[in-house]
Amino acid sequence: RMPDAVPAADRRQRASAAFSLSFLSLAFSVTAFSSSYWCEGTRKVAKPFCTGQSKGNHCIHFNSPDANNSNAVQYIWETGDDKFVDQKFHAGIWYSCEEIINEDGEKCRSFISLTPAAGRGVLWLSIVAELLYIILLLTGAILMSVEMCYYSSVIDGLKINAFSAVATVLAGLLGMVAHMMYTTVFQMTVNLGPEDWRPHTWDYGWSYCLAWASFACCMAAAVTTINKYTKTILEFKHKRKTLERSLKIKYKFPAH
């Protein structure tokens, strides 16, 4: 029974590696899906007029001490780019947030409402694909954990292994499509979105990187699971051939 112990331990090790990668992928995807840092950047906005005790370079100052006096001649010395200030923003699948100039905090609005009508359908498809991606990842992780904990027979383990491999591969394909669709929609919104939202400069944020890291972990888990399934099948075939060979020798040269 000793020769069987090593392959069994090896299979268990590969199963735990696949489960760890799948669980990591699930954690990354849920974090990315619920956050609003897929894209970050700045917008150029006109400086507001300074009010009350406002100081600094983020508002326009008046020469006149009495700003409410309509008869007073007000001179604005700022010219060119000095009239504008960079306003930071970050956007995700669900909403986009912008900092409030000269105040603490942010104001957020639904990203779906910012998306042009032509791209709204693609965004909804992206959201559905992301949700299915998470559901399939969860299904794959549950199947892998069942396979690790429940070992009634190798055949049952192989069946569970096959289902978890299919679920993880499908999850990876859906994840890739969902991320690419969101990228397309965001770029369309940058070019055709509302004037009061269009960014001056932007780049992908940490959530976007986390989403692709989740995809990479998912595909690594799928490869590990398929590799485990294939290796187990090959082990069975090898044992079967060895058994057949030994039986042929036994019946060809029967013991006296």
Side-chain angles (χ1 to χ4, degrees):
R1 301 184 67 87
M2 277 300 290
D4 291 339
V6 175
D10 189 37
R11 282 197 297 271
R12 195 175 288 274
Q13 195 175 5
R14 287 198 294 269
S16 62
F19 173 75
S20 300
L21 285 165
S22 187
F23 182 78
L24 200 63
S25 177
L26 181 64
F28 284 172
S29 64
V30 170
T31 305
F33 186 64
S34 58
S35 73
S36 63
Y37 285 85
W38 284 60
C39 300
E40 299 176 78
T42 57
R43 291 182 57 240
K44 276 199 176 297
V45 295
K47 288 182 181 178
F49 294 123
C50 293
T51 55
Q53 301 297 316
S54 297
K55 292 181 180 179
N57 299 320
H58 288 164
C59 60
I60 295 174
H61 299 273
F62 295 104
N63 270 9
S64 169
D66 185 7
N68 295 321
N69 186 353
S70 59
N71 297 321
V73 179
Q74 300 167 351
Y75 294 98
I76 299 171
W77 294 103
E78 283 84 359
T79 57
D81 281 347
D82 289 335
K83 283 183 180 177
F84 298 94
V85 65
D86 287 333
Q87 181 187 45
K88 291 179 183 177
F89 84 97
H90 53 90
I93 290 176
W94 297 108
Y95 49 92
S96 173
C97 296
E98 305 152 23
E99 68 173 343
I100 302 169
I101 304 299
N102 283 338
E103 288 182 36
D104 293 329
E106 299 176 321
K107 61 173 183 177
C108 298
R109 41 188 166 166
S110 166
F111 184 73
I112 297 164
S113 66
L114 299 170
T115 310
R120 213 159 281 171
V122 181
L123 181 60
W124 277 113
L125 280 174
S126 172
I127 290 170
V128 170
E130 286 284 353
L131 286 169
L132 287 173
Y133 172 55
I134 290 168
I135 290 166
L136 283 169
L137 274 177
L138 182 61
T139 305
I142 289 169
L143 287 170
M144 287 173 197
S145 65
V146 168
E147 186 192 356
M148 282 167 59
C149 303
Y150 173 73
Y151 253 89
S152 63
S153 71
V154 180
I155 299 297
D156 287 343
L158 267 176
K159 287 176 183 176
I160 296 169
N161 190 229
F163 283 122
S164 62
V166 169
T168 312
V169 169
L170 284 175
L173 291 172
L174 275 169
M176 180 180 68
V177 170
H179 302 346
M180 289 172 71
M181 281 196 292
Y182 177 79
T183 306
T184 304
V185 169
F186 186 83
Q187 289 173 350
M188 186 188 294
T189 309
V190 167
N191 295 322
L192 303 172
E195 288 285 349
D196 66 337
W197 178 84
R198 289 184 202 176
H200 180 65
T201 59
W202 67 275
D203 204 350
Y204 297 109
W206 63 265
S207 295
Y208 187 80
C209 297
L210 204 63
W212 282 108
S214 167
F215 167 74
C217 288
C218 173
M219 294 316 293
V223 168
T224 307
T225 310
I226 292 166
N227 179 46
K228 177 178 175 293
Y229 180 83
T230 310
K231 218 165 184 181
T232 308
I233 293 291
L234 289 173
E235 280 172 13
F236 266 117
K237 285 184 177 178
H238 177 69
K239 283 178 183 177
R240 186 181 171 184
K241 282 182 181 177
T242 307
L243 183 64
E244 284 175 354
R245 200 178 292 120
S246 66
L247 286 170
K248 278 181 184 177
I249 292 167
K250 186 179 178 181
Y251 284 106
K252 198 172 182 180
F253 304 104
H256 293 289

